[in-house]
Amino acid sequence: MQNQTEINFSHRSVLLDECIEGLNIDPAGIYVDGTAGGGGHSLEIVKRLTAGGRLIAIDRDDAALAAASKRLADYSDRVTFVKSNFSSVKEVLESLGIEKINGILMDLGVSSYQLDTPERGFSHNNDAPLDMRMDTSAPLDAYMVVNNYTRDQLKKIIYDYGEDRFAPRIANAIVNARELKPIETTGELVKIIKSAIPAAAREGGHAPAKRTFQAIRIEVNGELDAIEPAIDSAVQMLAEGGRICIITFHSLEDRIVKQTYAKHAEGCTCPKNFPVCVCGKTPEVKVVTRKPIVPSERELEENPRSRSSKLRIAEKL
């Protein structure tokens, strides 16, 4: 398993050059990789730090932290690894006695390791136990969602998080199937989803289970709920001129990042007919990327999984 972890975590990180440029790294600064994964982005950050600089690498996946620790072994004097959720960045930094940081990166995607390790249950292409937990010690897993959520709860998450128009049909099929026996594997779930989607909609090479798997994964890991609190905390901890870079992989994430950046970039909120400002609100950040940065054609060829990725950057005022 260890060799498998090393192989799968060695993939090229998404939008790597763009992230490093976006962070505008100060060699003596303090930086956070809030989703360290296998350490791809972390390695390029720490390479640019001098002995006075420091990187805090956060992830909630034990396997990711183990792989990142090995990958960054040559820079262990300037890296601190922490098992936590990126939404707890403020608490992590305070526990380390850090008052301000010069930049933070968050990659909100599922790592290639997680997708390519069948027993983790993330992929609809492999038959494995229903799991999908990024933190394998977390209490909620995909089995519980699939077998215990009500019909309406399933329909809501598949429609909201998977953006699948067949959500009612899929939810019905899941509930009907589990009345006969519990749904235990990803392979069983894929067959149930396929049975619920009209044949015409399955044509054209589209994976019919992809959206439902995305929805369940988001629910299991509370992914969308963590984004706004994470940005709020990061903005609070950034020093003047510090940058926040966030990579998203679907429209729901990107919309939250865009709206939360806009919230922090907003100044006075007094009604326009007020002669003077009484709210005292001033912008906390400026948005560096009015439109998100997307992968180059070369990156798309080298790493097809980067296709839906978008990078948004903001700078602390």
Side-chain angles (χ1 to χ4, degrees):
M1 177 60 69
Q2 185 175 3
N3 290 337
Q4 183 72 16
T5 298
E6 291 168 7
I7 291 169
N8 284 327
F9 265 131
S10 67
H11 74 288
R12 186 180 187 277
S13 299
V14 172
L15 292 165
L16 181 60
D17 295 338
E18 293 84 351
C19 286
I20 297 303
E21 181 180 348
L23 283 171
N24 194 25
I25 294 172
D26 173 358
I30 300 175
Y31 291 85
V32 174
D33 186 343
T35 46
H41 289 109
S42 288
L43 179 61
E44 293 306 316
I45 294 171
V46 79
K47 277 181 181 179
R48 290 160 174 79
L49 300 180
T50 60
R54 189 175 178 189
L55 173 68
I56 314 302
I58 300 170
D59 207 285
R60 53 177 161 170
D61 188 325
D62 290 308
L65 288 172
S69 180
K70 186 164 186 177
R71 193 170 190 178
L72 275 64
D74 291 344
Y75 303 92
S76 58
D77 61 322
R78 62 200 72 170
V79 184
T80 301
F81 295 96
V82 181
K83 181 179 180 179
S84 185
N85 191 315
F86 61 82
S87 63
S88 300
V89 63
K90 184 173 184 288
E91 290 79 3
V92 168
L93 293 171
E94 288 176 345
S95 72
L96 296 171
I98 297 171
E99 295 181 358
K100 291 293 178 183
I101 58 174
N102 301 94
I104 181 169
L105 168 68
M106 291 182 274
D107 178 345
L108 305 186
V110 180
S111 72
S112 292
Y113 163 73
Q114 289 166 334
L115 288 171
D116 295 339
T117 305
E119 59 264 31
R120 297 297 294 269
F122 283 98
S123 176
H124 53 83
N125 294 318
N126 299 297
D127 190 19
L130 279 169
D131 195 324
M132 301 193 195
R133 291 173 297 174
M134 292 181 179
D135 177 356
T136 54
S137 66
L140 182 66
D141 62 13
Y143 178 91
M144 294 175 67
V145 171
V146 169
N147 288 286
N148 296 336
Y149 275 33
T150 66
R151 190 188 312 267
D152 286 344
Q153 286 175 315
L154 288 169
K155 181 174 69 174
K156 180 173 174 56
I157 66 168
I158 295 168
Y159 186 80
D160 290 350
Y161 297 164
E163 299 179 295
D164 195 319
R165 62 194 173 102
F166 296 111
R169 298 177 62 135
I170 295 168
N172 284 337
I174 290 172
V175 171
N176 291 339
R178 77 189 191 194
E179 286 178 353
L180 301 177
K181 64 174 286 295
I183 302 165
E184 298 181 347
T185 70
T186 54
E188 290 174 39
L189 182 59
V190 168
K191 290 179 182 178
I192 292 164
I193 295 166
K194 283 183 177 179
S195 73
I197 296 177
R202 299 199 302 266
E203 295 174 356
H206 300 294
K210 183 177 180 179
R211 292 178 181 270
T212 298
F213 270 60
Q214 171 183 296
I216 295 170
R217 190 202 79 223
I218 289 172
E219 175 69 13
V220 166
N221 296 289
E223 294 173 37
L224 298 184
D225 295 337
I227 299 173
E228 185 172 356
I231 297 174
D232 292 345
S233 294
V235 168
Q236 188 176 346
M237 299 304 291
L238 280 172
E240 183 179 341
R243 295 277 186 93
I244 177 171
C245 298
I246 302 181
I247 302 170
T248 61
F249 284 84
H250 55 78
S251 59
L252 297 171
E253 294 172 336
D254 183 59
R255 190 179 309 131
I256 295 171
V257 173
K258 180 181 179 180
Q259 292 173 349
T260 309
Y261 278 6
K263 177 185 73 174
H264 287 284
E266 186 180 28
C268 172
T269 56
C270 295
K272 295 188 182 299
N273 61 347
F274 275 33
V276 295
C277 172
V278 295
C279 72
K281 189 176 185 302
T282 57
E284 297 174 272
V285 304
K286 68 174 180 181
V287 178
V288 176
T289 49
R290 290 298 170 184
K291 290 185 177 180
I293 297 170
V294 297
S296 64
E297 288 299 322
R298 179 177 177 179
E299 179 167 1
L300 291 173
E301 290 177 7
E302 294 176 352
N303 183 12
R305 283 180 176 167
S306 70
R307 182 164 303 279
S308 60
S309 62
K310 294 179 179 179
L311 170 64
R312 291 188 185 270
I313 305 168
E315 181 178 303
K316 185 70 175 286
L317 296 173

